[in-house]
Amino acid sequence: MSITSYNPADPADLVVAVEAPGAEAVRAAVGRARAAQGGWLAAGAGARSAALGRIAEAVEAHAEELAALIVREVGKPLAEARGEVARTAAIWRYYAQAPYEPSGAVHETAAGPGLLLTRRRPYGVAGLIAPWNFPLAIPSWKAAPALAVGNTAVLKPAPEATACALRLAELVSSASLPEDVFRVVPGGAEEGAALVDAADVVSFTGSTGVGRAVVRAATGRGVPVQAELGGLNAALVLPDADVELAAGHIAAAIAGYAGQKCTATSRVIAVGAAYRPLREALVKALAAVDDSACGPVVNAAARERMVGAVSSAVEAGASVLVGGGVPERAGWYVEPTLLAEVPARHPLAREEFFGPVAVLHAAADLDEAIALANDTPHSLATSVHTRSLDAALAAADRLDAGMIRVNAPSSGVDFHLPFGGTKGASHGEREQGRAALEFYTVSRTVSVLPGGEL
């Protein structure tokens, strides 16, 4: 089977085509990575730190080339693509310091002489399955901590991001890592399943359905697994908020990169008197969004899913406040769209569609807004817009979301802090920051007692 990736802005532009290697090749790659892992760990903290630092330098040295490749392969607007490249370099540089972090602690014995200590050790081979929407940053925030603590890594990227992943592998190789410490295996479902079946620790980011299958397969083997799945994210706007500022933030979180972020806003909840002015300001802000901020969705199927969902909602009684159409032009574009009066059980109000479409709701007060925001099977990020510190703190304490951002778009991410959601949005340990170092290692308790009488 051939793995192909096309330019979302120009569907006739074939970015890359490679043959899927098959399950046996994936298992062989994991075997080679496992053979290389002992030497990588034994090389020591200094060698691992230096290698990760060189990767950061290689990414920075090729920044414009990488940004252009991101734009071409996954349709990300240029400004966001450049931001992703900068973040990718920062991630590798951040984790370049991790090999020097303490890997355990020393404890007092309950009685008598001896030495008690805990020590965290790598699992072996990290199997990494990454999505297409952040084709360099997400593979990096999975691979960098795994490598920093002494694992080797095998990455299976989404087919739509194959060229970016292969280029990242070339840059990692240029940083003089030992052979087989980091490998990329392109492919689809067969290769992904083989990687989950062979790796010693698994990290997955992608759709809810596939992620649940990955979790079942890994836990069935007794293998540690983390999974970042869907997110139905809300923005709460209180009457005391700066409505124009809130509308700008929310429009960016709805339509930025065509809403193709797991932290994008898909539900807007206006509290009390905020409804009418927010509605007007948000319609104006979304109408002003252009290709420099939005761009196309990733493929024709994604566009059809968006258009079908909007049409279905309108048939069920919803009204389109802005957008809702498909521009007459080449590429898989969808107009940034805001709907109101969407029935509570319609899929647009209950499911993640991964596009520049959002639903506007009204809530009488903060209590109702929080209840509405929490009424979802999965929540990753929620934004709260208010001038009241009391309201912000109350919302932050009561919202079911893994990340809560006050007076900011829901779509911002700090790479040095834990990343993850609640309920069906995430499984297992958090990604990013120090949390990732914990995930990619296992704790061992060591007791050292005197070998004879003192």
Side-chain angles (χ1 to χ4, degrees), residues 87-177:
R87 173 167 297 191
T88 299
I91 289 166
W92 286 102
R93 184 161 285 113
Y94 171 78
Y95 283 112
Q97 302 307 308
Y100 294 111
E101 288 286 315
S103 61
V106 176
H107 302 262
E108 291 294 324
T109 62
L115 177 65
L116 302 181
L117 59 93
T118 57
R119 192 181 189 194
R120 302 200 67 86
R121 307 301 286 163
Y123 284 100
V125 180
L128 313 176
I129 301 176
W132 50 263
N133 59 332
F134 286 85
L136 295 182
I138 291 181
S140 294
W141 84 43
K142 292 179 183 296
L147 296 173
V149 295
N151 297 283
T152 50
V154 177
L155 168 68
K156 206 292 289 182
E160 297 88 344
T162 298
C164 286
L166 292 174
R167 186 65 182 118
L168 177 62
E170 291 174 351
L171 293 178
V172 171
S173 177
S174 74
S176 301
L177 266 70

Side-chain angles (χ1 to χ4, degrees), residues 323-344:
V326 173
E328 294 184 2
R329 56 186 296 189
W332 295 308
Y333 290 87
V334 178
E335 293 176 348
T337 301
L338 182 68
L339 299 98
E341 292 88 44
V342 174

Side-chain angles (χ1 to χ4, degrees), residues 43-275:
R48 296 197 301 277
S49 175
L52 269 60
R54 290 193 297 270
I55 296 171
E57 292 169 358
V59 170
E60 289 173 332
H62 295 83
E64 281 302 302
E65 170 213 331
L66 293 172
L69 181 59
I70 291 172
V71 171
R72 183 182 175 208
E73 184 166 42
V74 300
K76 183 167 288 192
L78 180 58
E80 289 213 29
R82 286 172 170 160
E84 180 176 348
V85 173
R87 173 167 297 191
T88 299
I91 289 166
W92 286 102
R93 184 161 285 113
Y94 171 78
Y95 283 112
Q97 302 307 308
Y100 294 111
E101 288 286 315
S103 61
V106 176
H107 302 262
E108 291 294 324
T109 62
L115 177 65
L116 302 181
L117 59 93
T118 57
R119 192 181 189 194
R120 302 200 67 86
R121 307 301 286 163
Y123 284 100
V125 180
L128 313 176
I129 301 176
W132 50 263
N133 59 332
F134 286 85
L136 295 182
I138 291 181
S140 294
W141 84 43
K142 292 179 183 296
L147 296 173
V149 295
N151 297 283
T152 50
V154 177
L155 168 68
K156 206 292 289 182
E160 297 88 344
T162 298
C164 286
L166 292 174
R167 186 65 182 118
L168 177 62
E170 291 174 351
L171 293 178
V172 171
S173 177
S174 74
S176 301
L177 266 70
E179 189 175 3
D180 296 319
V181 166
F182 177 78
R183 297 188 63 86
V184 169
V185 287
E190 178 185 352
E191 288 75 16
L195 182 56
V196 173
D197 191 50
D200 302 309
V201 57
V202 174
S203 180
F204 170 90
T205 300
S207 68
T208 298
V210 176
R212 287 174 177 167
V214 167
V215 169
R216 286 194 298 269
T219 54
R221 295 178 54 222
V223 170
V225 56
Q226 62 180 190
E228 294 300 330
L229 313 173
L232 194 63
N233 308 308
L236 280 61
V237 182
L238 278 65
D240 68 336
D242 182 328
V243 170
E244 296 294 330
L245 179 64
H249 286 161
I250 295 168
I254 292 171
Y257 189 24
Q260 297 174 122
K261 304 175 185 178
C262 53
T263 54
T265 294
S266 53
R267 296 187 299 156
V268 184
I269 304 171
V271 180
Y275 183 84

Side-chain angles (χ1 to χ4, degrees), residues 235 244-257 259 265 268 278 281-289 293-294 336 356 385 409 411:
E244 296 294 330
L245 179 64
H249 286 161
I250 295 168
I254 292 171
Y257 189 24
T265 294
V268 184
L278 178 65
L282 192 50
V283 166
K284 181 179 178 182
L286 283 171
V289 173
C294 185
H385 303 266
S411 52

